Amino acid sequence: MISIKTEEEIVLMRGANAIVRDLLLYLEEHIKPGITTKRLDALAYDFIVKNNAKPSFLGFEGYPASICTSIDAQVVHGIPSERKLVEGEIISVDVGTIYKGYQGDAARTFAVGEISAEKQRLIDVTRESFFKGIECLKDGARLGDLGYAIQSYAEKNGYSVVRALTGHGIGREMHEDPAIPNFGKAGRGMRVKAGMTLAIEPMINMGDYDVLLLDDGWTVVTADYKPSAHYENTVLVTENGVEILSL
């Protein structure tokens, strides 16, 4: 069921996503060669709790951590561990909070120390594909236009868009209707309405778009083991565009 948020609910969604925004900025300061992803997870947990929120990922369908940490060929849902980050890697960090019953959700891909120009370009195009996509979003816009804009920009730059995973509605629940593909045909798909809150999250691969699920039941990797990047924000659809709640 599609949820249209009230003004009171939107205020709480802003609060949840402000914590997400500040947490990602905080974690970026700590992402350096030698730190473990488990340490990043501990820092995230402490930050969320100190801000009077709860980590929405922790325990969600059995997920064992407060954030997802996905390195290089890992697309999403990488589980934090004692593994240390290595110079030249990229890491996608996905975080979620629950604040007064409402959810925040966003993700960024960060460089670990100095990275190749090739990897930096992947990060940049993934981020820009998000902004290309939301240019068309407003009351009455079709989701196919959003997906088409993201897909066409990524493919124009030589990359592929993951098909097996999508963005989603968000509110009281982390995953609400509708599903939001990062690919599609212009002029197709459901129409969005003012008051909808959506988590839009391009997942862009350097190689092919096919992905695999690892034996841990969570970590999704590229089938060709080429790097992938992830960029996500929660947005509020308005009459004339969107408000990005997690920026």
Side-chain angles (χ1 to χ4, degrees):
M1 185 176 71
I2 304 297
S3 171
I4 304 297
K5 305 304 187 295
T6 65
E7 285 300 322
E8 292 79 9
E9 289 176 312
I10 290 168
V11 168
L12 296 175
M13 291 288 291
R14 288 192 184 108
N17 281 284
I19 297 168
V20 164
R21 172 200 65 206
D22 293 345
L23 173 55
L24 285 165
L25 292 170
Y26 173 69
L27 292 177
E28 184 176 16
E29 298 173 0
H30 292 83
I31 292 174
K32 299 175 182 177
I35 195 169
T36 67
T37 52
K38 193 169 185 177
R39 175 59 180 158
L40 293 174
D41 184 63
L43 290 169
Y45 177 85
D46 290 343
F47 186 97
I48 293 168
V49 171
K50 286 177 182 176
N51 281 276
N52 302 309
K54 298 177 182 178
S56 56
F57 296 176
L58 184 60
F60 179 77
E61 295 184 355
Y63 187 75
S66 298
I67 61 174
C68 300
T69 52
S70 306
I71 301 167
D72 277 356
Q74 295 176 346
V75 181
V76 287
H77 305 159
I79 301 173
S81 70
E82 297 293 350
R83 184 197 189 284
K84 294 181 179 180
L85 297 182
V86 175
E87 180 97 15
E89 293 178 329
I90 59 175
I91 179 171
S92 298
V93 180
D94 194 352
V95 305
T97 62
I98 304 172
Y99 175 72
K100 296 184 178 180
Y102 285 83
Q103 304 264 347
D105 191 8
R108 306 282 185 267
T109 300
F110 300 111
V112 181
E114 294 293 324
I115 63 172
S116 67
E118 189 179 33
K119 285 184 175 180
Q120 186 61 56
R121 183 170 177 270
L122 175 65
I123 292 174
D124 293 343
V125 169
T126 301
R127 179 182 183 277
E128 189 61 25
S129 72
F130 167 87
F131 289 99
K132 293 291 185 184
I134 65 170
E135 285 178 2
C136 70
L137 269 191
K138 62 181 180 178
D139 185 62
R142 289 190 181 276
L143 284 180
D145 292 334
L146 168 73
Y148 175 79
I150 292 171
Q151 179 184 7
S152 58
Y153 184 77
E155 292 179 351
K156 180 179 72 175
N157 281 278
Y159 302 126
S160 64
V161 176
V162 173
R163 304 288 206 278
L165 301 157
T166 69
H168 50 91
I170 184 171
R172 280 191 172 274
E173 302 297 328
M174 187 192 311
H175 296 142
E176 297 182 351
D177 291 331
I180 306 170
N182 298 302
F183 56 94
K185 294 184 178 181
R188 303 283 184 88
M190 71 163 284
R191 294 188 185 276
V192 298
K193 296 181 180 179
M196 291 175 65
T197 45
L198 310 173
I200 299 168
E201 49 180 320
M203 292 156 273
I204 309 298
N205 294 350
M206 193 175 286
D208 191 74
Y209 63 72
D210 287 333
V211 297
L212 303 170
L213 180 65
L214 296 187
D215 289 342
D216 63 17
W218 285 102
T219 309
V220 177
V221 301
T222 57
D224 55 16
Y225 282 87
K226 292 183 179 180
S228 182
H230 183 201
Y231 186 85
E232 176 184 22
N233 282 303
T234 297
V235 307
L236 166 69
V237 179
T238 69
E239 292 289 339
N240 300 309
V242 296
E243 176 187 343
I244 305 174
L245 302 181
S246 49
L247 276 180

